[in-house]
Amino acid sequence: MAFDIEMIRKVYANMPDRVNKAREIVGRPLTLTEKILYNHLWDGMPSSAFTRGKDYVDFAPDRVACQDATAQMALLQFMHAGKPKVAVPTTVHCDHLIQAKVDAKTDLAVAKQQSNEVFDFLSSISNKYGIGFWKPGAGIIHQVVLENYAFPGGMMIGTDSHTVNAGGLGMIAIGVGGADAVDVMSGMAWELKFPKLIGVKLTGKLSGWTAPKDVILKVAGILTVKGGTGAVVEYFGEGATAMSCTGKGTICNMGAEIGATTSTFGYDESMDRYLRSTGRADVADAANAIAPYLTADPEVYANPEQYFDQVIEINLSELEPHLNGPFTPDLATPISKMKEEAIKNDWPLRIEVGLIGSCTNSSYEDIARAASLAQQVADKKLKTKAQFTITPGSEQVRYTIERDGFIDIFDKINATVFANACGPCIGMWDREGAEKEQRNTIVHSFNRNFSKRADGNPNTLAFVGSPELVTALAIAGDLSFNPLTDTLINEDGEEVRLDEPTGAELPPRGFAVDDPGYQAPAEDGSSVQVAVSPTSERLQLLAPFDAWDGKNISGAKLLIKAFGKCTTDHISMAGPWLRFRGHLDNISNNMLIGAVNAFNQKANSVKNQLTGQYEAVPAVQRAYKAQGIPSIVVGDHNYGEGSSREHAAMEPRFLGVKAVLVKSFARIHETNLKKQGMLALTFANEADYDKIQEDDTINFLDLTEFAPGKPLTLEFVHQDGSKDIILANHTYNEGQIGWFVAGSALNLIAQAGEA
């Protein structure tokens, strides 16, 4: 039986009446996205229609999921909410703090030793507040959620940008910062701007070398890393229904890389099969009873241009395998063009490592198809030219693929099986030789490939592909190899061609696992003690941020004018810094160290206006804080792209940055800044970015009149005494301005609990 089956049945019991009412109010057929959103309104029964991309709406998500790196800060904040127990089903998953280096057994043992304090904290605080706890080694949050918690028509938020993976089971699942999660865990409404809708019609059918991953790689090439911002992507068509449920999850997972709020698919037989295979026949039966409400109205998919803000059509029968990269997940290249592009751009052709798995591509089907290629190495007397690693998504998947012989096949090509954790995908990879920073090429089936992301080497060129394409390229060891047309020379000197990959959608003998790694919380956690040592380097209790003093900010210094792409990896790096995710002071030492200073084109080197010297960004900001001097950060387009990590907002807030002024924001980061009591502003005129000078002092002229829809006026005083008046737009509503006034959204929650 499924977790929380009574909650799921309640969602389904409400859905017909609420969707029917919403259809009546809106006055037209509804998309799946609209059905789920209108069924999860905080006020219950719909009473008015909402304008896409404009109206802020309060929702009531069904559940919350947290991974260990972000859960620490989220739960440290929840402790301040004054609640005895979480208000909705919530889980914590220990997947980020396990470094990949040797093999699964060794690496897991090391992680348990090094991060024991954090795991004990998360275990005890979960036990106290009624939260399900998945132990280290149980698996990656998104795969575990898909296997155990996701359900068609549900709504979930999670403290990781790839929460969207659950869209593969027909959910609206959205990545958020920890403060948003605290709202929902505390029993409060969760606010989201009603999204625009992008429809992707999939015709034809995948075959041969083409995989579900190639769909999202193609879409990323079309929409770019910001083309989905503020929108939900809804996939439909014959190609969608012919695809496996886990394949749908792969597509939704990487939707985070186009900036989409989330992605989803309508309920179909593949979801029914997956639910039953993972022991949730009760959910499948309940979903089948209201199946028409778990997909769009027929008129929508028949005439999508009338119902979506944008429609993209992809013929899967003609779709070619893609490789995206390097350094950005939207640089899409069909495999037939890769040789030409690689030579033109001087990308190293020799592939050093091929890595498959992660939350994006670690299903049974993914591993089976990759194993079918690995088997050909022996069958065709080949030798794998590149290193090869596998990262299973969950203990259930790992146990099942071992039982079915796939790990034995991988062993024969000297592959390394890492722990059931995020590992190299998030930079938790102790790669031998990476410190030499040599230029090299790797291929992987992960979702992101930003500079330094996987191994910390800025000269590692990472290309994203499907597990089967990555496996083929690892066998060949050559970026220019096209398995659809090219041959390899085997150990007998013969030309051989790799056969197309094959693999079952689901394990023919069903899934199996000895210990999935789940710890249920205490029925009554009131007596459970959560201890945090005052001398800990890993954990630190939080103090509330100061409320706004009601005055204009004046005499602020420019901390940094960031040049070009500035992701959350640039603002708050992962990798070795993950160990400080529960200690705000310590992790603030990585604030913006990856951002490139527009004035000297260097990372982590900005001018300290107090001394005239160039120093590390955190050091300069701490100097300003010590003198009580406010500061602001200036940035480019899509600032805060990437992860949901709220540390990228909490660190500047903690160190005294007052505002972030950019050309445009990624959705989650803008919300995170607002939640922490920061000013998230955009240039009314993007060209004003060029007016910002290195020694500027900034004065806010009308912050005392802060109001929805009213731009703010900033005065930039240059070193020579000249001034530029710059207009800054914002998207704050009354409630969000309340967060700023109170010092943070959490301060308001705490005040409400004390009232």
Side-chain angles (χ1 to χ4, degrees):
M1 189 174 81
F3 286 96
D4 311 309
I5 185 62
E6 292 307 318
M7 176 269 285
I8 295 171
R9 287 173 176 151
K10 183 178 179 182
V11 172
Y12 287 171
N14 289 331
M15 198 162 190
D17 287 347
R18 292 183 180 180
V19 169
N20 291 341
K21 184 65 175 178
R23 192 186 292 114
E24 174 189 321
I25 292 169
V26 175
R28 57 166 173 77
L30 298 177
T31 64
L32 167 64
T33 301
E34 290 169 317
K35 290 181 179 182
I36 298 175
L37 292 177
Y38 278 106
N39 187 40
H40 285 86
L41 297 177
W42 178 253
D43 291 332
M45 190 65 69
S47 59
S48 61
F50 299 106
T51 303
R52 299 175 189 171
K54 181 180 178 182
D55 291 337
Y56 281 98
V57 182
D58 285 341
F59 291 102
D62 302 312
R63 66 177 314 111
V64 175
C66 308
Q67 40 93 334
D68 50 356
T70 53
Q72 295 170 67
M73 199 59 69
L75 294 177
L76 285 166
Q77 291 179 83
F78 182 74
M79 291 173 71
H80 282 276
K83 305 292 182 180
K85 193 173 184 178
V86 290
V88 301
T90 302
T91 52
V92 166
H93 304 258
C94 295
D95 61 359
H96 273 56
L97 299 177
I98 303 167
Q99 187 176 54
K101 182 176 184 179
V102 181
D103 56 41
K105 184 178 180 180
T106 306
D107 296 344
L108 183 57
V110 170
K112 286 181 177 179
Q113 180 182 15
Q114 292 181 341
S115 296
N116 182 61
E117 179 186 13
V118 173
F119 295 145
D120 283 351
F121 166 75
L122 292 174
S123 173
S124 63
I125 199 169
S126 296
N127 202 26
K128 181 174 184 63
Y129 291 114
I131 298 169
F133 180 72
W134 290 82
K135 303 173 187 177
I140 306 173
I141 176 174
H142 314 301
Q143 181 70 23
V144 173
V145 164
L146 196 71
E147 292 174 5
N148 295 277
Y149 298 111
F151 66 97
M155 185 179 195
M156 177 177 75
I157 62 170
T159 60
D160 189 288
S161 56
H162 293 105
T163 299
V164 295
N165 186 81
L169 251 176
M171 289 194 89
I172 291 294
I174 300 174
V176 300
D180 276 0
V182 171
D183 283 355
V184 177
M185 290 190 287
S186 300
M188 299 177 66
W190 176 65
E191 182 185 71
L192 177 73
K193 185 180 286 187
F194 205 83
K196 295 183 179 180
L197 300 180
I198 298 173
V200 179
K201 182 178 182 180
L202 303 179
T203 62
K205 188 176 181 180
L206 294 170
S207 62
W209 284 93
T210 311
K213 184 65 162 276
D214 297 306
V215 176
I216 185 58
L217 295 177
K218 176 73 172 179
V219 170
I222 294 170
L223 289 176
T224 77
V225 291
K226 60 181 181 179
T229 303
V232 172
V233 182
E234 187 170 322
Y235 292 85
F236 62 94
E238 60 181 350
T241 55
M243 196 181 296
S244 68
C245 176
T246 52
K248 293 177 173 71
T250 291
I251 291 171
C252 292
N253 181 298
M254 203 172 157
E257 273 52 74
I258 58 173
T261 302
T262 192
S263 306
T264 194
F265 286 78
Y267 181 64
D268 61 21
E269 292 181 2
S270 74
M271 297 183 191
D272 178 282
R273 292 192 298 270
Y274 186 73
L275 286 167
R276 295 183 191 282
S277 182
T278 51
R280 292 174 287 170
D282 44 359
V283 178
D285 291 340
N288 288 335
I290 62 160
Y293 292 94
L294 300 176
T295 189
D297 290 331
E299 299 92 333
V300 172
Y301 293 161
N303 298 286
E305 290 80 5
Q306 296 180 25
Y307 302 98
F308 292 98
D309 298 292
Q310 181 181 355
V311 177
I312 297 169
E313 185 168 336
I314 299 174
N315 185 339
L316 301 186
S317 300
E318 299 174 355
L319 182 64
E320 195 177 335
H322 278 62
L323 274 179
N324 284 26
F327 303 129
T328 185
D330 59 351
L331 182 57
T333 305
I335 191 62
S336 64
K337 303 289 186 184
M338 179 49 73
K339 181 176 182 179
E340 174 187 341
E341 288 297 310
I343 292 172
K344 182 175 71 175
N345 291 285
D346 191 30
W347 297 332
L349 294 181
R350 179 185 171 187
I351 296 171
E352 303 288 341
V353 192
L355 308 98
I356 67 167
S358 83
C359 68
T360 326
N361 277 110
S362 55
S363 68
Y364 183 89
E365 180 181 37
D366 289 330
I367 304 299
R369 285 172 64 85
S372 75
L373 293 168
Q375 181 63 46
Q376 294 180 48
V377 173
D379 294 347
K380 297 179 184 289
K381 298 182 179 179
L382 293 164
K383 190 173 183 179
T384 306
K385 300 290 181 62
Q387 295 178 44
F388 191 67
T389 74
I390 303 102
T391 303
S394 70
E395 175 58 15
Q396 179 167 265
V397 165
R398 190 213 62 79
Y399 187 97
T400 304
I401 64 172
E402 182 176 45
R403 179 203 65 189
D404 291 355
F406 296 152
I407 289 182
D408 287 340
I409 294 172
F410 289 128
D411 282 343
K412 292 174 183 176
I413 65 168
N414 297 315
T416 300
V417 179
F418 286 137
N420 314 319
C422 299
C425 184
I426 60 163
M428 288 296 279
W429 181 22
D430 188 357
R431 182 185 178 191
E432 186 177 350
E435 72 282 354
K436 298 175 184 176
E437 298 194 349
Q438 294 174 338
R439 196 163 184 262
N440 74 105
T441 290
I442 66 173
V443 291
H444 61 58
S445 68
F446 309 155
N447 38 47
R448 291 192 179 133
N449 57 350
F450 303 144
S451 173
K452 303 170 71 173
R453 170 92 179 175
D455 61 3
N457 178 2
N459 298 314
T460 292
L461 284 70
F463 294 85
V464 183
S466 68
E468 41 269 69
L469 185 60
V470 168
T471 305
L473 290 170
I475 293 170
D478 186 349
L479 189 64
S480 68
F481 176 68
N482 181 355
L484 284 74
T485 59
D486 297 347
T487 58
L488 297 169
I489 305 298
N490 72 5
E491 293 182 317
D492 291 340
E494 301 167 332
E495 283 194 16
V496 296
R497 177 168 289 170
L498 293 174
D499 299 328
E500 294 176 349
T502 59
E505 171 187 322
L506 295 163
R509 292 192 285 158
F511 284 104
V513 66
D514 269 349
D515 177 11
Y518 176 70
Q519 172 187 294
E523 283 292 324
D524 179 3
S526 58
S527 62
V528 176
Q529 297 297 312
V530 179
V532 175
S533 168
T535 60
S536 172
E537 291 185 345
R538 301 289 300 270
L539 297 165
Q540 180 187 46
L541 294 175
L542 297 175
F545 290 132
D546 292 336
W548 179 45
D549 63 7
K551 302 175 183 178
N552 279 319
I553 297 169
S554 60
K557 299 298 184 183
L558 175 69
L559 175 62
I560 186 172
K561 178 179 174 180
F563 175 81
K565 186 185 282 283
C566 192
T567 72
T568 49
D569 276 5
H570 295 90
I571 305 168
S572 176
M573 287 185 178
W577 289 96
L578 283 173
R579 67 186 186 277
F580 296 130
R581 284 284 181 88
H583 198 294
L584 184 54
D585 194 8
N586 284 345
I587 199 169
S588 292
N589 288 322
N590 79 358
M591 185 192 72
L592 285 160
I593 63 175
V596 175
N597 181 358
F599 298 109
N600 61 10
Q601 294 298 303
K602 294 181 180 179
N604 202 26
S605 175
V606 296
K607 191 173 185 180
N608 182 337
Q609 293 192 43
L610 302 179
T611 66
Q613 302 299 310
Y614 285 88
E615 302 172 42
V617 183
V620 172
Q621 183 53 41
R622 286 186 185 274
Y624 293 158
K625 181 180 182 180
Q627 297 291 326
I629 299 170
S631 65
I632 78 163
V633 168
V634 171
D636 212 317
H637 275 298
N638 209 29
Y639 184 88
E641 168 193 345
S643 167
S644 70
R645 68 190 67 153
E646 66 180 343
H647 297 77
M650 294 187 78
E651 291 173 31
R653 179 72 170 101
F654 175 73
L655 291 182
V657 177
K658 299 298 183 183
V660 179
L661 173 63
V662 300
K663 293 179 182 178
S664 65
F665 282 106
R667 175 190 63 86
I668 301 177
H669 188 62
E670 181 182 18
T671 300
N672 285 345
L673 289 168
K674 291 179 177 180
K675 284 277 185 176
Q676 299 302 335
M678 296 273 284
L679 290 169
L681 311 173
T682 56
F683 289 100
N685 179 4
E686 289 182 7
D688 286 343
Y689 171 90
D690 297 323
K691 296 178 180 177
I692 311 300
Q693 298 179 24
E694 191 169 29
D695 292 286
D696 281 352
T697 298
I698 304 100
N699 301 310
F700 284 73
L701 303 183
D702 53 6
L703 185 58
T704 53
E705 301 165 27
F706 193 18
K710 183 180 184 297
L712 291 173
T713 309
L714 282 68
E715 177 186 64
F716 283 75
V717 183
H718 308 308
Q719 191 176 36
D720 63 2
S722 63
K723 300 177 181 179
D724 275 304
I725 303 297
I726 289 177
L727 211 59
N729 292 332
H730 65 84
T731 59
Y732 288 77
N733 58 27
E734 288 286 0
Q736 294 168 348
I737 290 175
W739 302 341
F740 171 74
V741 171
S744 72
L746 181 60
N747 287 356
L748 282 183
I749 295 175
Q751 290 169 16
E754 294 167 1

